[in-house]
Amino acid sequence: MSDRWDTGRTEAFSDGVFAIAITLLILEISVPESEFSNLWHGIAHQWPAYLAYATSFITIGGIWLVHHGIFRRLQYANSWVMRINLGLLMAVAFLPFPNKLLAAAIHDRDAERAAVIFYGATLFAISLLLSALCGVITRDRDLLKPGVSEQEINAILVAATPSLGFYVGVILLAVFAPRVAVFGYLVIAIVSVLRAHGEQATPPEIAEPGR
Amino acid sequence: MSDRWDTGRTEAFSDGVFAIAITLLILEISVPESEFSNLWHGIAHQWPAYLAYATSFITIGGIWLVHHGIFRRLQYANSWVMRINLGLLMAVAFLPFPNKLLAAAIHDRDAERAAVIFYGATLFAISLLLSALCGVITRDRDLLKPGVSEQEINAILVAATPSLGFYVGVILLAVFAPRVAVFGYLVIAIVSVLRAHGEQATPPEIAEPGR
Amino acid sequence: MSDRWDTGRTEAFSDGVFAIAITLLILEISVPESEFSNLWHGIAHQWPAYLAYATSFITIGGIWLVHHGIFRRLQYANSWVMRINLGLLMAVAFLPFPNKLLAAAIHDRDAERAAVIFYGATLFAISLLLSALCGVITRDRDLLKPGVSEQEINAILVAATPSLGFYVGVILLAVFAPRVAVFGYLVIAIVSVLRAHGEQATPPEIAEPGR
Amino acid sequence: MSDRWDTGRTEAFSDGVFAIAITLLILEISVPESEFSNLWHGIAHQWPAYLAYATSFITIGGIWLVHHGIFRRLQYANSWVMRINLGLLMAVAFLPFPNKLLAAAIHDRDAERAAVIFYGATLFAISLLLSALCGVITRDRDLLKPGVSEQEINAILVAATPSLGFYVGVILLAVFAPRVAVFGYLVIAIVSVLRAHGEQATPPEIAEPGR
């Protein structure tokens, strides 16, 4: 009935975008030459950049794990999966910009609130698109591989969804305490990585056919 | 008779170039520190950069979908496919440069017309190379996988070709109303993503052999 | 019992991060236009940048070889492998920053000691995470492919571990003689590439199933 | 007897480095805002950057084609193939630096000779490493796939080698006429892409086993 896209090349393309977005983050970090006279202090002075780097890296890492969990259960993608996936990649590839603002603004009382909220809004948008991707898949069961159980589908939904509520909470916190909120984003990212689970042990020939 | 190249590695290499070109776009966007005193205004002030980012990202996304649609129907590539594909990648990898000019020039009455036309000319060149790639494939049917029907070949040609005419129209529009023309490029990109279709449902063992 | 992740996509994602981190290193090297009047001298003057480039490139190359050696013996990854691998990628993607500091600081007596020690500490952290990855795998033998012998597991551990001691030694050396220490890092990197070994010749159908 | 590495992951990693090196080239091209008052002139004024971009892109494209031709005939890699391949990637990833110098120096009488020779020396080094890769493979026939004929091995050697002589010639030319030499590099690159050939038509199941 509906159109079908194989998932292999979509995974490869998505992995490329995730890997590049995650690796570009470091390009923005540098110690100005004026701080070379006391370089240890100069290195330590960049702590907001490291905090932003770790938060963005772990966030994208967690999204990659969920994305991996979704796609390995797909037999095919349909056009809506492709479009929402493209939107997700567009939001992920956008993250280095608010990341850069965050790193630069933390030393600046005027700017830090806006930077932290803008950064959180981007994470919220990424999270929303990831939920939309899950939603599309669970609605059209023909896309899933034959062996995928109801239980696994719920596990995917659970892995992707609750972050949305947490992001809203932390963004509200950012209005009053921006610096605390950044650690909130970091905690959400770490928790999402820790909560990502692989398949429960199944016979090898079902677990990964055709790879 | 003619020479043959397998398509797997060409897809991987092309995906790499598409993914990098699409992700580098964000590097050019930044808010100068002088605007940190009112960061929300500074963020909003960068709207031409976001417009250029979205247009370029969705355009490359749409090209990737058509490229994907072409290569999954190929059994082999010949040397002309390899050369034209290399030319296509060269044009796609060039796009971040006119994208940067477009984002920088929109605030500048003198420069915006040239920047919008130059950007459109690059999109036109990309579209032309994509049509050439389709043309080479439809001329040498030996390259196609056994199961590919005449109808599918027409569908590929239809997906790749009409953009050419639209780009000419929007470039002409850019002479008189450059800012409107940028939205024209965006609309063409969105339409090309929406028009991309996967395979009609076929038995799995035909749909994705040898992956 | 435990959860399982297939390794194919994790390898692809890791390769992406390794390849990008290794290629971004060159972006930081440039000859200022003020040295164009005697460009050969200007090119030669950048020797610390080339030294840092070669050291970082060969170090990441050696890590990639060990990573390759680990993953091709894995049947599955578990969640700890995924997490430690993400940590390893985070450390590797961080390397361009200390690399840039190293290249910039070598001409500067005040800064070079700190830059060389900071660079070495990053290499030490990468090496530690690589050892942790080996440790997790050797503890859970269910992850390994059926044909992997005790001897091969030891070979992986030997390839990953001793660098740790060497890095501590060279970092101590850096306190007294920073420039000499940089060559020490280069030697460790070259040795790690030379010591990496492929599989001993085994029947093809065991050596590379399912690729 | 000797050690063996599978080629799939080495191809993926190499493709990543080629794709990134080829795509980073564009980052260095920009039109200074001072030329926005006459942007068409400013765009045209960057012609040396476009010439360098096209030359480097087509050169790396040609190297990728030869690399592709080598690796698809390999059954395994040995440690020397891995090391020389790493050296080749290190030289290819270095190219954006002389490319940047070339683009910046062409307007500068003092600097252009040195920049053109330095650029050519890098291309010569890349070409030398590619020949060394071919040499290692043709010496150890066990690495090749069963179906590879003597004729095909010669074809690989012929595709990789003669560029060496041409590069020496064009570098000598660069001493007297640097700008002409740049077009010489471009011609060598175009010829190497045009000379790259796929496999002669063979039965599909032999042409691409196990992909």
Side-chain angles (χ1 to χ4, degrees):
Chain A
M1 297 87 119
S2 74
D3 60 336
R4 287 173 168 180
W5 297 83
D6 76 294
T7 57
R9 206 174 153 189
T10 308
E11 288 179 317
F13 180 65
S14 305
D15 279 356
V17 173
F18 286 132
I20 299 155
I22 222 168
T23 317
L24 290 181
L25 297 166
I26 204 68
L27 287 183
E28 309 296 344
I29 307 182
S30 61
V31 177
E33 293 233 0
S34 59
E35 300 200 40
F36 271 29
S37 58
N38 188 347
L39 187 56
W40 283 120
H41 180 267
I43 291 170
H45 193 60
Q46 295 297 319
W47 69 265
Y50 310 138
L51 177 59
Y53 174 75
T55 305
S56 297
F57 199 103
I58 299 170
T59 300
I60 298 181
I63 289 158
W64 178 77
L65 289 172
V66 174
H67 193 271
H68 186 0
I70 294 171
F71 271 83
R72 81 180 154 196
R73 275 149 189 136
L74 285 189
Q75 192 169 20
Y76 293 107
N78 64 17
S79 290
W80 274 106
V81 171
M82 299 302 274
R83 287 167 197 160
I84 294 173
N85 190 53
L86 215 57
L88 176 66
L89 297 179
M90 193 166 146
V92 167
F94 187 76
L95 192 61
F97 172 55
N99 178 78
K100 181 166 58 177
L101 281 186
L102 184 66
I106 268 187
H107 286 306
D108 186 321
R109 288 271 156 204
D110 288 331
E112 68 180 8
R113 181 171 294 116
V116 173
I117 294 173
F118 182 56
Y119 181 86
T122 307
L123 296 185
F124 180 79
I126 292 171
S127 207
L128 204 65
L129 285 157
L130 200 60
S131 292
L133 193 62
C134 291
V136 164
I137 286 154
T138 52
R139 215 178 304 159
D140 187 353
R141 301 287 162 100
D142 287 353
L143 299 175
L144 296 169
K145 287 183 183 164
V148 179
S149 67
E150 203 66 22
Q151 207 184 336
E152 275 179 271
I153 295 167
N154 286 333
I156 299 174
L157 276 173
V158 166
T161 310
S163 301
L164 281 173
F166 288 122
Y167 281 126
V168 171
V170 178
I171 290 168
L172 287 176
L173 176 64
V175 178
F176 306 102
R179 292 194 189 192
V180 178
V182 181
F183 289 95
Y185 300 140
L186 180 59
V187 168
I188 295 175
I190 291 171
V191 168
S192 82
V193 167
L194 293 180
R195 284 177 64 241
H197 281 292
E199 288 177 280
Q200 295 312 306
T202 47
E205 66 277 15
I206 289 180
E208 202 49 29
R211 267 303 268 253
Chain B
M1 295 89 121
S2 72
D3 60 336
R4 286 174 168 180
W5 297 82
D6 77 293
T7 58
R9 209 177 150 186
T10 307
E11 287 178 319
F13 180 66
S14 305
D15 279 356
V17 172
F18 287 133
I20 299 155
I22 223 168
T23 317
L24 289 181
L25 297 167
I26 204 68
L27 287 184
E28 308 297 344
I29 306 182
S30 61
V31 176
E33 293 233 1
S34 59
E35 301 200 38
F36 271 31
S37 57
N38 188 348
L39 188 56
W40 283 121
H41 179 267
I43 290 170
H45 193 60
Q46 296 297 320
W47 69 265
Y50 311 138
L51 177 59
Y53 173 76
T55 305
S56 298
F57 199 103
I58 299 171
T59 300
I60 298 180
I63 289 159
W64 178 77
L65 289 172
V66 174
H67 193 271
H68 187 359
I70 293 171
F71 270 83
R72 81 180 154 195
R73 275 149 188 137
L74 284 190
Q75 192 168 20
Y76 294 107
N78 64 16
S79 289
W80 274 106
V81 171
M82 298 302 273
R83 288 168 197 159
I84 293 172
N85 190 53
L86 215 56
L88 175 66
L89 296 180
M90 194 165 145
V92 167
F94 186 75
L95 191 61
F97 171 55
N99 178 77
K100 181 165 59 178
L101 281 186
L102 182 67
I106 270 187
H107 285 306
D108 186 321
R109 288 270 157 205
D110 288 330
E112 68 180 8
R113 180 171 296 115
V116 174
I117 294 173
F118 182 56
Y119 182 86
T122 307
L123 296 185
F124 181 78
I126 292 172
S127 206
L128 204 64
L129 285 157
L130 200 61
S131 292
L133 194 61
C134 291
V136 164
I137 286 154
T138 51
R139 215 180 304 158
D140 186 354
R141 300 286 162 102
D142 287 353
L143 299 174
L144 295 169
K145 286 182 184 165
V148 179
S149 67
E150 203 66 22
Q151 206 185 338
E152 275 179 271
I153 295 167
N154 287 334
I156 299 174
L157 277 173
V158 165
T161 311
S163 302
L164 281 173
F166 288 121
Y167 281 127
V168 171
V170 178
I171 290 169
L172 288 176
L173 175 64
V175 177
F176 305 102
R179 292 193 190 192
V180 179
V182 181
F183 288 94
Y185 300 141
L186 180 60
V187 169
I188 295 175
I190 291 171
V191 169
S192 82
V193 166
L194 293 180
R195 284 176 66 240
H197 281 293
E199 289 176 279
Q200 294 312 306
T202 47
E205 65 276 15
I206 290 181
E208 203 47 30
R211 265 304 265 254
Chain C
M1 298 82 120
S2 73
D3 60 336
R4 288 174 167 179
W5 297 83
D6 77 293
T7 57
R9 208 176 152 188
T10 308
E11 288 179 318
F13 180 65
S14 305
D15 279 357
V17 173
F18 287 133
I20 299 155
I22 223 167
T23 318
L24 290 181
L25 297 167
I26 205 68
L27 287 183
E28 308 297 344
I29 307 183
S30 61
V31 176
E33 292 234 1
S34 59
E35 301 200 38
F36 271 30
S37 57
N38 187 347
L39 188 55
W40 284 120
H41 180 266
I43 291 171
H45 193 60
Q46 295 297 319
W47 68 265
Y50 310 138
L51 177 60
Y53 174 76
T55 305
S56 297
F57 199 103
I58 298 171
T59 299
I60 298 180
I63 289 158
W64 179 77
L65 288 172
V66 174
H67 193 270
H68 187 0
I70 293 171
F71 271 82
R72 81 180 153 193
R73 273 147 190 139
L74 285 188
Q75 192 169 21
Y76 293 108
N78 64 17
S79 289
W80 274 108
V81 171
M82 298 303 274
R83 289 168 196 158
I84 294 172
N85 190 53
L86 216 56
L88 176 66
L89 296 180
M90 194 166 145
V92 167
F94 187 75
L95 192 62
F97 172 54
N99 177 78
K100 180 165 60 177
L101 282 185
L102 183 66
I106 269 187
H107 286 306
D108 186 320
R109 289 270 156 202
D110 287 331
E112 69 179 8
R113 179 170 296 115
V116 174
I117 294 173
F118 183 57
Y119 182 85
T122 307
L123 296 185
F124 181 78
I126 292 172
S127 205
L128 205 64
L129 285 158
L130 200 61
S131 293
L133 193 61
C134 291
V136 164
I137 286 155
T138 52
R139 216 179 303 159
D140 188 353
R141 301 288 162 100
D142 286 353
L143 299 174
L144 295 169
K145 286 182 185 166
V148 178
S149 66
E150 203 65 22
Q151 206 184 337
E152 275 180 271
I153 295 166
N154 287 333
I156 300 174
L157 277 173
V158 165
T161 310
S163 302
L164 281 173
F166 288 122
Y167 281 127
V168 171
V170 177
I171 290 169
L172 288 176
L173 176 63
V175 178
F176 305 102
R179 293 193 189 192
V180 179
V182 181
F183 288 95
Y185 300 140
L186 179 59
V187 169
I188 295 175
I190 292 172
V191 169
S192 82
V193 167
L194 293 181
R195 283 176 65 239
H197 281 292
E199 287 177 279
Q200 295 313 305
T202 48
E205 66 276 14
I206 290 181
E208 202 48 30
R211 269 300 267 256
Chain D
M1 297 84 123
S2 72
D3 60 336
R4 287 172 168 181
W5 297 83
D6 76 293
T7 56
R9 209 176 152 189
T10 307
E11 288 178 317
F13 181 65
S14 304
D15 279 357
V17 173
F18 287 133
I20 300 155
I22 223 169
T23 318
L24 289 181
L25 297 166
I26 204 69
L27 286 184
E28 309 296 345
I29 307 182
S30 61
V31 177
E33 293 233 1
S34 59
E35 301 199 39
F36 271 30
S37 57
N38 187 348
L39 187 55
W40 284 120
H41 179 265
I43 291 171
H45 192 61
Q46 296 296 320
W47 68 265
Y50 311 138
L51 177 60
Y53 174 75
T55 305
S56 297
F57 199 103
I58 299 171
T59 299
I60 298 181
I63 289 158
W64 178 77
L65 288 172
V66 174
H67 193 271
H68 187 359
I70 293 172
F71 271 82
R72 82 180 154 195
R73 275 148 188 138
L74 285 188
Q75 191 169 22
Y76 292 107
N78 64 17
S79 290
W80 275 106
V81 171
M82 299 302 274
R83 289 168 197 159
I84 294 172
N85 190 52
L86 216 56
L88 175 66
L89 296 180
M90 194 165 144
V92 167
F94 187 76
L95 192 62
F97 172 55
N99 178 77
K100 180 166 59 177
L101 282 185
L102 183 66
I106 269 186
H107 285 307
D108 185 321
R109 289 268 157 205
D110 287 331
E112 69 180 7
R113 180 171 295 115
V116 174
I117 294 174
F118 182 56
Y119 182 85
T122 306
L123 296 185
F124 181 79
I126 292 171
S127 206
L128 204 64
L129 285 157
L130 200 60
S131 293
L133 194 61
C134 291
V136 164
I137 286 154
T138 52
R139 215 178 305 157
D140 187 354
R141 302 285 162 101
D142 286 353
L143 299 175
L144 296 169
K145 286 183 183 164
V148 178
S149 66
E150 203 67 20
Q151 207 183 338
E152 275 179 271
I153 296 167
N154 286 334
I156 300 174
L157 277 174
V158 165
T161 310
S163 302
L164 281 173
F166 288 122
Y167 280 126
V168 171
V170 177
I171 291 169
L172 287 176
L173 175 65
V175 178
F176 305 103
R179 292 194 190 191
V180 178
V182 181
F183 289 95
Y185 300 140
L186 180 59
V187 168
I188 295 175
I190 292 171
V191 169
S192 83
V193 167
L194 293 180
R195 283 177 65 242
H197 281 293
E199 290 177 278
Q200 295 312 306
T202 47
E205 67 275 14
I206 289 181
E208 202 48 30
R211 267 304 264 255

